[in-house]
Amino acid sequence: MVQELHQLLMDREDTCHRTCFSLKFNGITLDNFSELKNVENLKEGSEIKVVEENYSVREARLHVRHVRELLHSTDYIDAYNGTDCSSLSYVNVITDGDVSAEVSNSATSSGNSTPDSPTANGTTDMSVIKSMSNGDNIAKRKKHARSLEQLIESVDCTPPDYVMPSAKDRLLSPMHPASKEPKPQQCLKMLTMSIWNPPPGNRKLRGDLLYLYTVTAEQKRFHITASARGFYVNQSDMEVFNPKPAAGTHMTHSLIDLLGQISPHFKRTFVALNKRRFSRHPFERIATPFQVHSWSAPAFDHMVDHVRAEDLFSSRLLLEEHIPGQQTRDWNEELAATRELPRSTLPERLLRERAMFKVHSDFVTAASRGAMMVIDGNVMAINPGDPPNMRMFIWNNIFFSLGFDVRDHYKDFGGNYAAFYAPGSDLVGVKAYNMLDIPGLHTLGTAIIDYRGYRVTAQSIIPGILEREQEQSVVYGSIDFGKTAQSNEKYAELLSKTTKQLHIFPHEIKSGEDEKSVELFSSLECKGIIGNDQRHYILDLLKTYPADVNFLPMEKETLPTECIQLGFPKQHRHKLPTLRPELVEAFVDHLYVRFMRHCAAQIVSLKTKSALDKPRIEATKTNDEKETNIPTNSEQLTQWQQEAVRSACVLVGSYSSTEFDIRFNPDVFSPGVKHECSSEEIEKQKQLIKDAARFLITHQIPTFIKDCLEHSAMPVDGASLTDVLHERGIGVRYLGKILQLITETPALNHIYRIGVAEIVLRSVKHIIRPYLQQVNQSSISSAVSHFLNCFLSSFPSPKPILPEEELISNKKKKKARKNRVQIGTSSAGTPWHFLTPESLWNQIQNEALEYYDFAFDLESVDDFIEKYSIQKMSLMRRFSIIIGIQLLVRDYNLDSKHKPSFCDEDILNLYPVIKHSSPRASDGYQFYQSAQAKVQQGYLKEGFELFSEALNLFNNVYGAIHWEIAACYRHIARLNYMMGEHSDATANQQKAVILSERVLGIDHFTTITDFVSLALYCFAQCKISASLKLLYRARYLLLGVHGCDHPEIALLDSNIGLVLHGVQEYDLSLRFLDEALKINMKYHGSKSLKAAISHHLVARAYSCKGEFRQALQHEKETYKLYRAQLGDEHEKTKESGECLRHLTQQAVTLQRTMNEIYKNGSSATIPPLQITPPSMHSVLDLMNVINGIIFIPLSPKDLETLRKEVKRQQDDNQKLIALATKTTTNATTAMSVQQLKEVDTPLD
């Protein structure tokens, strides 16, 4: 598009300071929203001219804002403050640009390579040596060896003390590393709006748009006029207004050019600043679609910023007052209109999804800002006469409500607890219906914002809903929990299209006193409202999925035995718990497998019975009977299939008797709802939901535990544990029960620790919400720091500093605190400053027992840390993230018993924690899934092409920055590496790391794993320094996230140990390899293959040091484990045996030498020991193995045979499915089930 070309010019180094221009071709101005391919006569080699245009007030303000962005483009101020969708990325700071640097050809050239070679594109010395003959290339070999030795000697391998295996202290200061580049000089002292704004009427008629005031680095002060033709210095000062141009000044179209004229320092420093800006990776400069906040930030100076000041005191958002015809955006219209865009072709779908995503991201940004203004008291309520908890707000055409039970709406369902939980369930329903994307059916734009202890629900406003009462608006559903309900023909038509994919049972209920029959195609709570725009909206989707009966005790209802044995049903705080959509899909898949097996068994049984009965029937028939009514084989098979399908449908409780179709009645457990169907049918519907609850207990939870034991699920903190549970449909409220099941399993100690910490932190989250709600604005930092001291500090008696005490003397301050304590002991209420560590931990114990059914008896954080071996740093990090607290970066002494660990200066900010349902690029995601399938089948090149196409489609919808784009780059980099394209792998993985840092967080677990992959690819290119820095960074982050006792630490330590081994730092290498061996033996078992390879790595390090006895001991363990696990004939066993013989010979030689020395003294002849330094090739091969990359040499014939076998197995599976479903239409259902299952599955 022409607009993209416009943006490209603004991003170029030489034209970045120009904003107000147009593009002309053949004298015709190009429309910004037209596509270049549609421009007449435009072809390759054509010339498009850039023409400067006159400014308007809007363009002038945008230009000044752009100048401000350029001046701040190399600092992280906006990222620390969480503004303008800026976020942090440190990968290039950590590596000092070594990732992008080129290494010398002599160190990396390796001759020809093949896609199957693990050292393709030249990575190591061995790849070169193998390609050389022994006679002709000795000189080249020596030259290469010298260059490699120089490369190794130039690498600083010393790890920081805080990442060493022996390090106990967890420091926060390295979290935000400072760049080694000199800090750029400040271009300007000040640039702000002048006090003479706005221009008077006579000056407006002369073209004045606005006035600026600047102070240069030379301490010169200027007033600048922004006119229609450009910028110039006027003669005004702080006391006299004189808009005439100053003597000797010139008008420039760009403010940057004018500042360069009046300030030589600005001209010089801006050039340097611009070069530094463009030396950064482009992904570091582009705004993210959603704001990412950092839980920690360094201290920085608060500078003058007129744009920041203007945004604060303006009621407008992101200059939206310049949209034609309106001052605030009609979010509902935009969200609905973008969904109604055409979608029949790929270009139309891309345009539609791009518009949907852009509007949604803007809505979430506006909702976040509005929610903060609501809680901060900057928006007037629409019902100011009601109590504060019942107030509602409208700002920027967004409706805001608080998470409290207004007018006892949830009185019978848990009151405020239910009101707080309901928006989250409603968002799940919104996501489900948005995913189906039924034409004509609309949901509300919804975002949930948790800020300062309050939950704020932000929703777009249905046209006309504020003009009439709710009773008049709702045309479908119930507003009184089922006492009365109504239906609508159009809603019935629209919602009936969703029931099959959402597994909703269409049901009839009795409404009102006359018990009129009303048919519903959704939950009773779902309400349908026709807006003034004649669109059909649905809202209150909190019961889209069936109830979780394990947490819903009811009279006369008995759960399955397996649930009762685990203590269910358990009384919950509210009566709104529902099963997760992932569980519903997993349960349906489980029933589908039963359905298919039963069908196949029935057909086989009927066929066998028919074969046995045929001779007997034939013998009793007459000749005439034999000639007539003889069914054909196809007719008989069809009859068997139909009979088998009917039997299987009854078995699994299918909604239909002729096809597999599982549906749940969302209102079957709703109190007060009368159904039209028989009691027997009601019991069937209830039993199906009870079976789903039993399936969670008997299948999903054991599957989760099994996956953790097999290390296919590897959570490292509460967030990743929550994701793993949710992927299997398990709610976090089951965490206490899961921990009871794994308490006595040593191999799951890390899961147990993470689970206990998550229960404690979520309990603390429940406690701090009402705690913060009672704190006034001036005391927030003191209240939060006091709470942190009570929660994490070892100081026994922290006392907060109240704001009113800041201005009095120390003597009076002590007296005031003493009086406050005396008052607090007799006070009936409990203000926030009376909180103590003992009372807080007592509340935590009660909350954990009541909500999660997890009991522990501890009185302080030190007792908790000692019993469960959980580090305080991890608790502090996770607590800050889930509450939305930004802490000052410094090394906190959380174990001090002499003074509090936190003060109010450590609380830099509180930021919102946002939940929303983001649109997805459907076509790109389909390509992504197809690419994964191709790679799994061994078609790497085809998979690479599909990933590349998915990346292109994602870019078209999301822009350059998105987590799904990061996943694409991650897979492409892995394929590049596997096909020998190491430089491309490094470049693509670098992009993945930057994107992960920016959209997930600098210490997110996915970011950490991306660091490890990038380190591997860098090592393959002989970028050893960058590889070590990345691995050290990954280990530091993982230590802060969890600690040193985790299986992922073993993987990191093995990588670090191998790289250090490769550069001949054997002592350092052994420290990390020994730690990896210890952890692998603990979590994988002393007889596992992980332990075997760790023993082998340690043996290699000892052998290179010449300590053959220890090397022999560890290699014996390796050989013993390989022999027991793999057998004598396996390649690994033979390799280990050969290594064992070599080490034995070396050990014998060494012992003879020592004996000779003892016998003959210094005159003994000492034969040379064969200690071969490690080759980079062997080190890289081992790194590939421990990182899960194994290169299997296959001939083209072997590869084709393997592919044919995979295809044959797939064809057999398809035939089995077709056999049982030939007469049904459940193939479509199965496909829909799979699609629904994969919607919420993360890309990795």
Side-chain angles (χ1 to χ4, degrees):
M1 294 181 67
V2 175
Q3 190 177 23
E4 294 172 348
L5 187 59
H6 198 283
Q7 186 64 39
L8 180 65
L9 291 172
M10 290 177 61
D11 288 337
R12 283 179 57 86
E13 183 175 358
D14 51 348
T15 57
C16 65
H17 57 286
R18 302 193 178 276
T19 61
C20 187
F21 58 87
S22 61
L23 301 175
K24 289 190 176 183
F25 177 64
N26 291 340
I28 301 174
T29 301
L30 301 181
D31 181 11
N32 280 343
F33 297 99
S34 64
E35 295 189 9
L36 290 173
K37 65 180 181 181
N38 297 330
V39 178
E40 190 176 355
N41 297 327
L42 183 64
K43 56 187 178 181
E44 187 175 353
S46 298
E47 183 177 295
I48 298 177
K49 293 186 177 181
V50 178
V51 179
E52 295 177 346
E53 297 288 348
N54 283 344
Y55 286 98
S56 63
V57 174
R58 173 181 180 273
E59 292 292 345
R61 291 176 62 188
L62 286 174
H63 183 80
V64 175
R65 178 181 288 267
H66 184 66
V67 169
R68 182 262 180 195
E69 291 173 354
L70 292 177
L71 297 180
H72 287 281
S73 59
T74 60
D75 57 39
Y76 290 115
I77 299 298
D78 288 340
Y80 294 143
N81 288 327
T83 58
D84 294 338
C85 290
S86 297
S87 57
L88 300 169
S89 176
Y90 288 126
V91 61
N92 289 325
V93 175
I94 294 160
T95 59
D96 297 325
D98 291 345
V99 173
S100 303
E102 295 293 334
V103 291
S104 63
N105 291 332
S106 60
T108 60
S109 60
S110 62
N112 297 326
S113 60
T114 63
D116 293 328
S117 171
T119 57
N121 271 5
T123 56
T124 65
D125 56 333
M126 287 301 294
S127 60
V128 176
I129 293 171
K130 284 186 177 181
S131 67
M132 298 178 179
S133 64
N134 290 329
D136 299 334
N137 296 301
I138 295 177
K140 292 182 180 180
R141 193 186 310 171
K142 289 182 178 179
K143 181 180 179 182
H144 174 78
R146 285 196 301 270
S147 65
L148 193 63
E149 289 177 3
Q150 293 171 359
L151 179 65
I152 292 175
E153 290 175 0
S154 66
V155 176
D156 182 11
C157 303
T158 308
D161 292 338
Y162 52 79
V163 302
M164 292 296 294
S166 59
K168 300 298 181 184
D169 295 331
R170 301 289 177 253
L171 307 181
L172 186 57
S173 53
M175 179 72 71
H176 298 271
S179 175
K180 294 183 179 180
E181 296 181 11
K183 188 175 181 180
Q185 292 182 313
Q186 193 175 5
C187 297
L188 283 176
K189 292 287 185 182
M190 181 186 299
L191 176 64
T192 184
M193 292 293 174
S194 171
I195 60 175
W196 299 113
N197 273 312
N202 64 322
R203 293 306 304 177
K204 287 183 181 179
L205 299 179
R206 304 285 294 274
D208 291 2
L209 303 176
L210 51 88
Y211 301 122
L212 305 173
Y213 174 69
T214 184
V215 180
T216 67
E218 296 90 350
Q219 294 297 332
K220 295 182 179 179
R221 303 170 188 272
F222 298 95
H223 287 258
I224 298 173
T225 298
S227 69
R229 293 183 297 137
F231 298 84
Y232 62 88
V233 177
N234 61 44
Q235 298 183 28
S236 300
D237 57 28
M238 299 303 290
E239 297 179 355
V240 178
F241 175 65
N242 186 353
K244 295 181 180 180
T249 188
H250 299 282
M251 180 177 291
T252 62
H253 194 265
S254 168
L255 179 59
I256 294 291
D257 292 338
L258 178 64
L259 293 173
Q261 289 181 8
I262 62 179
S263 172
H265 176 85
F266 178 89
K267 185 175 183 179
R268 183 173 61 254
T269 53
F270 182 77
V271 170
L273 175 76
N274 219 20
K275 287 183 178 180
R276 182 172 180 177
R277 173 176 179 258
F278 281 92
S279 66
R280 297 172 62 184
H281 197 282
F283 284 176
E284 297 181 49
R285 308 196 305 261
I286 303 173
T288 58
F290 305 104
Q291 185 63 59
V292 178
H293 298 272
S294 173
W295 69 272
S296 60
F300 51 86
D301 296 331
H302 192 63
M303 308 296 293
V304 174
D305 188 341
H306 76 92
V307 174
R308 181 187 63 223
E310 182 183 6
D311 285 345
L312 176 64
F313 291 106
S314 169
S315 62
R316 299 173 289 273
L317 178 69
L318 299 177
L319 300 178
E320 287 155 1
E321 71 276 15
H322 300 299
I323 295 177
Q326 61 185 45
Q327 288 192 342
T328 54
R329 296 172 67 169
D330 187 344
W331 296 107
N332 188 79
E333 176 63 28
E334 292 189 39
L335 290 166
T338 53
R339 285 194 170 274
E340 292 172 345
L341 291 173
R343 46 177 155 172
S344 56
T345 64
L346 178 60
E348 287 178 348
R349 288 195 297 273
L350 290 177
L351 181 62
R352 175 178 182 265
E353 290 173 349
R354 183 192 311 167
M356 288 169 56
F357 183 77
K358 181 68 173 78
V359 172
H360 177 78
S361 62
D362 288 350
F363 171 78
V364 171
T365 302
S368 173
R369 182 180 176 191
M372 294 172 67
M373 294 179 66
V374 164
I375 300 304
D376 290 337
N378 298 330
V379 179
M380 180 175 288
I382 60 177
N383 53 339
D386 290 344
N389 289 354
M390 299 177 62
R391 291 175 186 169
M392 293 170 283
F393 306 84
I394 292 178
W395 179 84
N396 199 15
N397 275 337
I398 302 176
F399 177 78
F400 297 92
S401 58
L402 304 180
F404 299 104
D405 187 11
V406 179
R407 298 186 180 90
D408 293 334
H409 186 71
Y410 295 102
K411 180 180 179 181
D412 298 329
F413 295 87
N416 283 335
Y417 294 115
F420 188 91
Y421 177 83
S425 293
D426 179 57
L427 184 63
V428 172
V430 169
K431 189 173 185 178
Y433 280 97
N434 284 346
M435 176 193 69
L436 297 182
D437 207 2
I438 302 298
L441 188 63
H442 297 272
T443 59
L444 303 184
T446 306
I448 301 172
I449 300 97
D450 292 330
Y451 177 64
R452 278 182 51 187
Y454 292 90
R455 168 155 289 187
V456 183
T457 303
Q459 295 175 306
S460 58
I461 302 173
I462 299 176
I465 194 173
L466 300 177
E467 301 169 7
R468 54 184 186 266
E469 294 294 331
Q470 188 181 39
E471 293 81 1
Q472 302 170 342
S473 303
V474 176
V475 298
Y476 173 88
S478 174
I479 61 173
D480 52 11
F481 300 103
K483 295 178 182 178
T484 60
Q486 51 189 322
S487 187
N488 177 278
E489 184 177 346
K490 183 63 176 177
Y491 273 102
E493 176 190 345
L494 292 171
L495 289 172
S496 64
K497 299 176 182 177
T498 68
T499 55
K500 190 169 186 177
Q501 290 169 296
L502 292 179
H503 310 293
I504 294 176
F505 190 98
H507 53 287
E508 294 184 2
I509 66 170
K510 298 176 181 179
S511 170
E513 296 180 357
D514 56 353
E515 296 189 346
K516 177 184 176 183
S517 178
V518 176
E519 186 176 14
L520 298 176
F521 296 87
S522 65
S523 68
L524 185 68
E525 280 291 301
C526 174
K527 300 173 181 61
I529 298 178
I530 301 177
N532 286 354
D533 54 2
Q534 299 307 307
R535 294 188 178 105
H536 292 75
Y537 298 90
I538 53 173
L539 59 154
D540 290 349
L541 308 175
L542 62 156
K543 288 190 177 180
T544 300
Y545 291 97
D548 185 354
V549 293
N550 286 331
F551 288 88
L552 196 63
M554 292 168 289
E555 295 182 1
K556 301 179 181 180
E557 295 293 340
T558 304
L559 294 184
T561 306
E562 296 88 346
C563 299
I564 295 174
Q565 289 174 349
L566 277 180
F568 294 111
K570 184 181 180 300
Q571 187 68 46
H572 204 51
R573 284 185 173 170
H574 56 78
K575 298 180 180 180
L576 300 179
T578 56
L579 298 176
R580 292 194 60 82
E582 299 91 345
L583 179 78
V584 173
E585 300 306 332
F587 180 59
V588 171
D589 288 347
H590 170 72
L591 292 182
Y592 184 67
V593 172
R594 288 185 61 191
F595 177 87
M596 297 299 298
R597 288 176 177 171
H598 185 79
C599 283
Q602 283 290 100
I603 292 173
V604 171
S605 175
L606 290 170
K607 189 174 181 181
T608 304
K609 182 179 179 182
S610 176
L612 294 174
D613 292 344
K614 188 174 181 179
R616 180 176 57 81
I617 295 173
E618 289 292 331
T620 61
K621 284 185 177 182
T622 64
N623 292 333
D624 294 339
E625 289 175 335
K626 292 179 181 180
E627 293 176 359
T628 59
N629 299 327
I630 300 177
T632 63
N633 289 336
S634 61
E635 291 176 351
Q636 193 174 40
L637 181 61
T638 300
Q639 184 180 353
W640 293 342
Q641 289 172 346
Q642 291 174 347
E643 187 175 342
V645 167
R646 284 194 295 270
S647 175
C649 287
V650 173
L651 176 70
V652 300
S654 175
Y655 174 72
S656 170
S657 61
T658 58
E659 65 175 352
F660 178 82
D661 187 5
I662 300 298
R663 306 196 187 189
F664 302 89
N665 185 342
D667 299 321
V668 72
F669 288 110
S670 297
V673 177
K674 300 178 181 178
H675 289 77
E676 282 284 353
C677 56
S678 65
S679 58
E680 182 181 351
E681 182 64 28
I682 290 292
E683 287 303 317
K684 288 182 180 179
Q685 296 171 12
K686 288 182 177 180
Q687 188 59 44
L688 188 61
I689 296 178
K690 292 178 183 178
D691 288 343
R694 176 174 56 189
F695 174 75
L696 189 153
I697 297 295
T698 60
H699 189 273
Q700 295 303 90
I701 290 179
T703 299
F704 163 76
I705 296 174
K706 178 175 176 288
D707 291 342
C708 291
L709 282 169
E710 295 175 350
H711 301 281
S712 58
M714 190 78 76
V716 297
D717 63 349
S720 52
L721 175 63
T722 302
D723 290 341
V724 170
L725 290 172
H726 286 176
E727 286 171 11
R728 289 153 181 80
I730 306 170
V732 181
R733 56 180 171 268
Y734 286 91
L735 190 52
K737 294 295 184 183
I738 294 174
L739 295 184
Q740 293 174 16
L741 297 174
I742 65 174
T743 303
E744 304 299 329
T745 309
L748 295 180
N749 281 349
H750 60 298
I751 304 295
Y752 187 78
R753 277 195 306 272
I754 297 169
V756 171
E758 188 66 7
I759 285 179
V760 168
L761 287 164
R762 285 178 177 256
S763 300
V764 172
K765 182 173 70 172
H766 298 166
I767 295 168
I768 198 175
R769 283 171 182 156
Y771 174 88
L772 287 176
Q773 290 171 13
Q774 65 176 331
V775 178
N776 58 44
Q777 182 77 34
S778 61
S779 304
I780 292 177
S781 60
S782 296
V784 173
S785 62
H786 179 60
F787 191 95
L788 282 167
N789 281 323
C790 293
F791 177 41
L792 294 175
S793 177
S794 298
F795 185 63
S797 54
K799 297 291 188 300
I801 298 177
L802 299 182
E804 58 268 22
E805 296 177 358
E806 292 182 351
L807 301 179
I808 62 178
S809 63
N810 290 334
K811 185 176 181 180
K812 293 182 179 180
K813 192 180 297 183
K814 292 180 181 178
K815 185 176 180 181
R817 291 184 185 176
K818 184 177 180 180
N819 293 335
R820 193 169 73 236
V821 171
Q822 292 175 352
I823 294 172
T825 56
S826 60
S827 175
T830 310
W832 64 266
H833 49 268
F834 293 141
L835 184 72
T836 63
E838 293 80 7
S839 64
L840 175 59
W841 277 93
N842 186 49
Q843 292 180 61
I844 293 172
Q845 292 180 54
N846 295 335
E847 185 72 17
L849 181 61
E850 180 182 351
Y851 200 94
Y852 298 101
D853 197 21
F854 183 79
F856 59 88
D857 186 16
L858 302 172
E859 296 182 356
S860 67
V861 65
D862 292 330
D863 294 341
F864 177 72
I865 299 301
E866 182 179 356
K867 180 173 181 178
Y868 294 105
S869 302
I870 299 170
Q871 61 181 18
K872 293 183 179 180
M873 173 73 169
S874 302
L875 293 175
M876 181 176 73
R877 169 189 173 272
R878 178 73 177 144
F879 173 78
S880 300
I881 291 173
I882 63 177
I883 303 301
I885 300 173
Q886 188 178 63
L887 296 176
L888 176 68
V889 170
R890 68 177 179 87
D891 296 328
Y892 293 92
N893 183 6
L894 300 174
D895 298 323
S896 174
K897 296 184 180 295
H898 304 292
K899 66 176 183 178
S901 302
F902 301 90
C903 64
D904 52 358
E905 296 294 330
D906 295 324
I907 313 302
L908 294 183
N909 201 1
L910 296 185
Y911 59 84
V913 179
I914 307 167
K915 299 177 183 178
H916 59 93
S917 172
S918 179
R920 165 166 278 173
S922 56
D923 292 286
Y925 189 65
Q926 289 178 7
F927 273 96
Y928 182 91
Q929 290 179 306
S930 300
Q932 287 181 310
K934 285 292 184 184
V935 171
Q936 290 172 357
Q937 295 168 11
Y939 295 92
L940 300 188
K941 290 185 178 179
E942 291 85 347
F944 179 86
E945 292 171 357
L946 288 170
F947 274 126
S948 300
E949 184 61 31
L951 178 62
N952 181 42
L953 295 175
F954 283 151
N955 273 304
N956 271 281
V957 174
Y958 302 134
I961 309 293
H962 195 270
W963 50 87
E964 291 184 358
I965 293 177
C968 268
Y969 278 122
R970 188 177 304 121
H971 285 290
I972 290 173
R974 177 62 65 100
L975 290 176
N976 285 140
Y977 183 74
M978 294 172 70
M979 293 188 292
E981 302 162 356
H982 293 163
S983 59
D984 290 341
T986 303
N988 286 316
Q989 186 63 28
Q990 182 187 20
K991 295 175 183 177
V993 172
I994 295 174
L995 291 177
S996 294
E997 284 187 303
R998 296 209 57 208
V999 300
L1000 299 176
I1002 58 175
D1003 57 351
H1004 192 275
F1005 179 54
T1006 303
T1007 305
I1008 296 173
T1009 57
D1010 281 344
F1011 270 112
V1012 178
S1013 297
L1014 182 57
L1016 172 64
Y1017 306 156
C1018 285
F1019 185 83
Q1021 283 192 287
C1022 277
K1023 298 177 180 178
I1024 300 172
S1025 177
S1027 180
L1028 279 173
K1029 291 173 183 176
L1030 291 165
L1031 290 171
Y1032 292 155
R1033 174 70 172 179
R1035 193 176 202 276
Y1036 163 74
L1037 294 176
L1038 192 53
L1039 287 175
V1041 169
H1042 182 273
C1044 60
D1045 192 12
H1046 193 278
E1048 282 294 322
I1049 287 288
L1051 175 63
L1052 271 171
D1053 286 349
S1054 297
N1055 277 290
I1056 295 173
L1058 276 171
V1059 176
L1060 291 172
H1061 179 73
V1063 295
Q1064 303 174 21
E1065 292 283 347
Y1066 304 124
D1067 290 328
L1068 277 175
S1069 173
L1070 272 172
R1071 296 182 66 178
F1072 287 97
L1073 293 176
D1074 281 336
E1075 183 72 11
L1077 173 61
K1078 181 176 70 175
I1079 296 174
N1080 278 331
M1081 292 178 66
K1082 177 178 180 180
Y1083 289 108
H1084 294 275
S1086 59
K1087 298 182 180 180
S1088 65
L1089 293 178
K1090 289 275 188 182
I1093 195 170
S1094 285
H1095 277 297
H1096 176 65
L1097 298 181
V1098 174
R1100 280 169 53 97
Y1102 274 121
S1103 67
C1104 289
K1105 286 184 67 179
E1107 300 178 10
F1108 297 108
R1109 183 171 295 176
Q1110 290 89 338
L1112 193 60
Q1113 180 182 350
H1114 283 284
E1115 193 60 41
K1116 282 181 180 178
E1117 290 293 326
T1118 301
Y1119 179 75
K1120 182 168 65 174
L1121 292 173
Y1122 279 151
R1123 187 178 182 185
Q1125 297 281 345
L1126 306 175
D1128 291 333
E1129 300 302 318
H1130 195 274
E1131 180 184 357
K1132 287 292 183 183
T1133 308
K1134 293 178 180 179
E1135 288 179 1
S1136 181
E1138 186 64 33
C1139 183
L1140 198 58
R1141 283 189 290 273
H1142 173 73
L1143 290 174
T1144 303
Q1145 292 173 2
Q1146 294 293 90
V1148 170
T1149 301
L1150 179 61
Q1151 189 61 45
R1152 286 176 179 173
T1153 301
M1154 299 301 298
N1155 292 339
E1156 189 73 18
I1157 292 175
Y1158 292 143
K1159 182 177 180 180
N1160 300 324
S1162 59
S1163 62
T1165 303
I1166 303 175
L1169 292 174
Q1170 298 179 7
I1171 301 178
T1172 306
S1175 69
M1176 291 297 179
H1177 174 72
S1178 62
V1179 172
L1180 183 62
D1181 283 346
L1182 285 169
M1183 289 183 70
N1184 287 332
V1185 171
I1186 66 173
N1187 286 285
I1189 302 175
I1190 301 176
F1191 294 91
I1192 303 175
L1194 292 175
S1195 65
K1197 183 179 179 181
D1198 294 336
L1199 193 59
E1200 188 61 31
T1201 303
L1202 180 62
R1203 287 171 174 167
K1204 286 180 179 179
E1205 177 63 21
V1206 171
K1207 190 175 187 304
R1208 186 189 65 77
Q1209 292 178 1
Q1210 292 176 341
D1211 292 341
D1212 291 344
N1213 292 336
Q1214 290 298 325
K1215 288 178 182 178
L1216 178 62
I1217 293 174
L1219 179 64
T1221 59
K1222 185 176 180 182
T1223 61
T1224 70
T1225 58
N1226 62 349
T1228 304
T1229 303
M1231 182 176 65
S1232 301
V1233 165
Q1234 185 64 19
Q1235 289 174 346
L1236 282 168
K1237 180 182 177 183
E1238 292 169 346
V1239 163
D1240 287 333
T1241 302
L1243 291 179
D1244 286 307

